[in-house]
Amino acid sequence: MGGKEMNFSSAIAFETSSESSPPGGPLGYYPTWQREQNSSSSISSSEVLPANRASASARMTPHWMAGVFRRIVDLSKRNDDWDSYGAPRLQVEVLRAFVQTLEGYSYAIQNEPLISLTSNGGLLCSWESSQASMDLSFEVAEVTRVYYEDAATGQEFDLSLHECETVEKWLWRASSSS
Amino acid sequence: MRTVDLQDDPINVPDSAILYRRVDWDRIGGRDRAIIGTPPKLSANCFTDYPETKAREYGFDGPCMSVAISTVLIKLGYTPEKLLEKHPEYGLAKILARDLRTLKKADGSDCPQGIMLAAIDDEPWHGVVFDLNERPRKSAVSKAIFRVADWEIPLIRDS
């Protein structure tokens, strides 16, 4: 069982080639929340979700993205049966949805996810904070799935990304440092 | 190839049996993100089914998760370390059979798992776990398994 052979670094470069980071602050960019914070300096960054995607008008590369790409390149080196239970290697078909989703919601993601391989050669992004835990799973020929658990209530949600109307809020909470 | 019906087997896999499953770093976010000297957290991703095509290739009639069954290991005179003999870079997670048969999701609803022995040539202790209500297993059920699982032999990042 094998995935398509390819250079994952090139694949990622292709997926992100249209992005250009504007010159910014110490991190090389000004996150949306930071710009908003500059005009209302008393609000903690972890409390305020950027208003919407439109407000993040300039395409920016968040600080955690480099670690994500390093991790994907690393995972792309695994062979079939990497888990000793017959799982296929990382399937290149999942990369487009993975990159597009993380970039598309990057303004709502505060920290680098844990990224794991799945039994089907897909990718699992996980965040856990004191408020919530959340997974985004990317599998070949399947829609992206969202799992969210509210730490305070224990309530769980398991649905497709397309059905999820609160994904930004959930990402913001689950990827918080607190 | 003969197809094996997935049926819970409390005779050959009693409630007191411990089920083991190998875990590698890439199931749990990678070695680099682990804290040095501390066992990392297990993840629901450690408790997922074979790919359906793989399950059928192995002769099972639906998605299921591979495990090793303690009662058979003990009968053969082995300890859990036997399971890592060929896989020294892996850790080993454990789950009590009873906990799987009486599994509940976070909202308290039942999601019982079936367990059966499915010996293979070089692994007579091999068994499978499968969802009795819904296949393939949903994320909330893998999360429920994760909540009742623990390390038997943890992965440790030593540097």
Side-chain angles (χ1 to χ4, degrees):
Chain A
M1 184 180 303
K4 288 179 184 170
E5 296 294 338
M6 73 171 299
N7 179 323
F8 276 79
S9 301
S10 302
I12 290 168
F14 167 77
E15 295 290 0
T16 59
S17 61
S18 63
E19 309 303 321
S20 60
S21 302
L27 298 176
Y29 69 98
Y30 289 117
T32 309
W33 61 263
Q34 193 175 31
R35 283 187 269 125
E36 290 173 346
Q37 199 177 22
N38 288 342
S39 60
S40 58
S41 57
S42 62
I43 300 171
S44 160
S45 66
S46 64
E47 292 169 353
V48 182
L49 172 66
N52 54 43
R53 188 186 301 236
S55 72
S57 53
R59 296 291 216 123
M60 293 164 289
T61 304
H63 65 282
W64 45 263
M65 195 64 93
V68 167
F69 287 161
R70 273 197 301 274
R71 175 75 176 140
I72 296 304
V73 170
D74 188 37
L75 289 175
S76 71
K77 296 171 184 166
R78 306 293 181 264
N79 296 319
D80 288 341
D81 197 31
W82 55 269
D83 70 343
S84 82
Y85 292 113
R89 72 187 69 179
L90 175 59
Q91 303 294 291
V92 67
E93 295 92 327
V94 304
L95 278 181
R96 180 174 294 275
F98 173 83
V99 172
Q100 285 178 345
T101 303
L102 286 198
E103 286 202 334
Y105 291 108
S106 62
Y107 63 95
I109 298 172
Q110 303 189 65
N111 280 299
E112 184 180 343
L114 280 177
I115 302 175
S116 306
L117 284 173
T118 70
S119 294
N120 296 297
L123 289 168
L124 182 76
C125 285
S126 305
W127 294 267
E128 186 169 359
S129 71
S130 59
Q131 304 171 62
S133 60
M134 181 167 179
D135 294 340
L136 290 176
S137 60
F138 304 87
E139 300 285 4
V140 174
E142 287 184 23
V143 296
T144 301
R145 303 284 309 175
V146 178
Y147 171 87
Y148 181 84
E149 182 181 356
D150 185 299
T153 64
Q155 196 172 7
E156 292 178 297
F157 302 86
D158 185 359
L159 66 173
S160 76
L161 181 59
H162 299 127
E163 297 170 313
C164 186
E165 294 175 352
T166 51
V167 64
E168 294 130 318
K169 191 164 89 175
W170 287 357
L171 279 168
W172 187 255
R173 285 182 179 168
S175 67
S176 165
S177 299
S178 59
Chain B
M1 177 187 283
R2 189 175 69 94
T3 300
V4 178
D5 293 335
L6 296 173
Q7 291 193 330
D8 189 30
D9 179 4
I11 305 296
N12 286 307
V13 188
D15 280 353
S16 59
I18 297 169
L19 312 180
Y20 301 108
R21 185 162 164 86
R22 285 186 294 274
V23 174
D24 84 296
W25 285 110
D26 289 330
R27 282 270 178 200
I28 54 174
R31 184 179 180 280
D32 292 348
R33 298 285 298 274
I35 299 166
I36 294 171
T38 304
K41 272 185 79 170
L42 287 167
S43 153
N45 192 41
C46 303
F47 307 105
T48 54
D49 290 332
Y50 282 127
E52 186 147 6
T53 49
K54 203 76 181 173
R56 302 231 180 256
E57 186 183 317
Y58 290 158
F60 300 110
D61 71 351
C64 53
M65 175 174 78
S66 181
V67 292
I69 296 169
S70 67
T71 45
V72 183
L73 277 170
I74 291 166
K75 203 178 289 181
L76 295 169
Y78 295 127
T79 62
E81 281 78 4
K82 175 74 178 170
L83 305 171
L84 301 184
E85 238 175 42
K86 294 178 185 170
H87 307 280
E89 69 278 26
Y90 290 68
L92 202 61
K94 64 177 177 184
I95 322 161
L96 188 63
R98 181 185 300 112
D99 289 341
L100 288 179
R101 292 195 169 110
T102 59
L103 197 65
K104 291 183 188 302
K105 293 187 219 172
D107 65 4
S109 61
D110 293 330
C111 52
Q113 305 293 294
I115 312 160
M116 62 183 280
L117 189 60
I120 51 180
D121 288 346
D122 53 350
E123 295 186 23
W125 49 78
H126 184 260
V128 290
V129 176
F130 41 92
D131 198 301
L132 291 173
N133 290 342
E134 196 173 18
R135 296 179 205 159
R137 185 179 294 115
K138 298 290 185 200
S139 294
V141 180
S142 292
K143 293 281 180 185
I145 298 177
F146 152 70
R147 289 188 198 100
V148 298
D150 201 354
W151 287 107
E152 172 69 24
I153 302 172
L155 285 166
I156 299 279
R157 179 184 172 189
D158 51 14
S159 62

